[in-house]
């Protein structure tokens, strides 16, 4: 098992020492982020999936290349070779190999300083929703009225999440299972809904998002 947090501190030095072509400039950018105390919380806000483009995709490609999972170009395009590299990493660190880099995968790749000082534990929760049948004994407080909905976010579960998933599916934003588990796929659907209706795109279902959902 690789020590995932170590390269977060030394990624620029390692890339330069290994002489990986095309990565030195990107490594400098990553090093500057560390020097300026920009931590992994920024990355946890970004979910990367097939078809994504941009600097965050370059970051994950450079990281995967350094770790030996990715051999393609650092071009900022989330293509099939990037998906395969992400899936290989997820499999090795015990996450569901869905090829999506969400908060759980980012946290394993870019742990916070507190986590870096803790022993690495094997992951026990998958990155995406469990496709198995929902457990019949989910404990939750259901929504009694539309005027007092709860705030829902990643890793929440229960009948309120099932109601949310049904709403999103009815609006064609969600195509996953109605299992009452607020995973990466549900979070992405919430973010797409928020973006479509001009809300703050944070993947969290608060009062404003519920209001638009229940209209």
């Amino acid at each position: 098992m690789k020590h995932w947090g170590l390269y977060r501190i030394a990624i620029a030095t390692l890339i330069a020492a290994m002489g990986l072509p095309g990565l030195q400039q990107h490594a400098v950018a990553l090093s500057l982020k560390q020097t300026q105390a920009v931590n992994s919380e920024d990355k946890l806000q970004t979910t990367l999936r097939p078809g994504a483009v941009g600097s965050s995709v370059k970051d994950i490609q450079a990281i995967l290349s350094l770790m030996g999972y990715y051999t393609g170009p650092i071009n900022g395009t989330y293509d099939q070779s990037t998906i395969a590299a992400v899936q290989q990493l997820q499999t090795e660190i015990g996450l569901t190999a869905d090829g999506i880099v969400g908060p759980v995968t980012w946290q394993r790749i870019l742990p916070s300083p507190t986590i870096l000082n803790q022993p690495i534990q094997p992951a026990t929760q998958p990155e995406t929703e469990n496709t198995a049948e929902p457990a019949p004994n989910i404990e939750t407080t259901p929504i009694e009225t539309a005027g007092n909905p709860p705030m829902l976010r990643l890793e929440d579960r229960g009948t309120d999440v099932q109601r949310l998933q049904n709403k999103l599916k009815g609006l064609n934003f969600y195509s996953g299972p109605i299992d009452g588990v607020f995973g990466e796929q549900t979070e992405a659907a919430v973010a797409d809904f928020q973006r479509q209706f001009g809300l703050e795109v944070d993947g969290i279902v608060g009062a404003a998002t519920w209001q638009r959902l229940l209209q």
Side-chain angles (χ1 to χ4, degrees):
M1 178 67 68
K2 297 179 176 64
H3 295 281
W4 312 110
L6 296 181
Y7 77 89
R8 180 176 182 266
I9 301 171
I11 185 169
T13 303
L14 287 174
I15 290 176
M18 295 171 69
L20 296 178
L23 296 184
Q24 283 82 355
Q25 182 177 357
H26 202 65
V28 171
L30 290 176
S31 180
L32 285 174
K33 290 180 182 179
Q34 294 301 317
T35 303
Q36 296 168 351
V38 178
N39 61 29
S40 61
E41 292 179 2
D42 295 326
K43 291 300 176 192
L44 296 183
Q45 304 298 322
T46 304
T47 296
L48 300 178
R49 59 185 64 249
V53 295
S55 61
S56 291
V57 179
K58 287 184 179 181
D59 287 347
I60 195 65
Q61 288 173 330
I63 290 168
L64 291 168
S65 181
L66 179 63
M67 297 172 74
Y69 293 106
Y70 179 70
T71 58
I74 310 302
N75 58 9
T77 300
Y78 205 112
D79 53 17
Q80 190 57 47
S81 59
T82 307
I83 297 169
V86 170
Q87 289 174 327
Q88 184 181 353
L89 180 145
Q90 289 172 326
T91 297
E92 185 161 338
I93 64 179
L95 299 177
T96 298
D98 58 4
I100 297 173
V101 182
V104 179
T105 298
W106 275 123
Q107 187 63 65
R108 296 301 301 276
I109 295 173
L110 300 176
S112 65
T114 300
I115 293 176
L116 282 173
N117 292 329
Q118 298 174 351
I120 297 176
Q121 301 294 334
T124 58
Q125 182 163 344
E127 176 80 2
T128 55
E129 278 93 341
N130 189 350
T131 56
E133 291 295 324
N137 61 342
I138 295 176
E139 296 183 4
T140 185
T141 302
I143 300 173
E144 298 295 337
T145 66
N148 188 32
M151 179 175 289
L152 298 176
R153 64 183 70 220
L154 190 69
E155 298 184 359
D156 284 345
R157 56 182 62 221
T159 56
D160 291 336
V161 178
Q162 288 178 321
R163 181 182 184 184
L164 169 66
Q165 291 169 330
N166 272 315
K167 283 286 185 182
L168 291 169
K169 179 165 283 191
L171 295 169
N172 296 320
F173 287 96
Y174 178 70
S175 59
I178 308 300
D179 57 3
V181 179
F182 199 124
E184 295 285 351
Q185 194 172 359
T186 303
E187 183 185 50
V190 170
D192 289 342
F193 175 85
Q194 292 169 327
R195 190 175 298 107
Q196 179 72 26
F197 286 91
L199 301 171
E200 180 182 358
V201 181
D202 57 7
I204 298 173
V205 185
T209 301
W210 272 120
Q211 184 177 5
R212 295 307 299 265
L213 280 168
L214 297 175
Q215 283 180 350

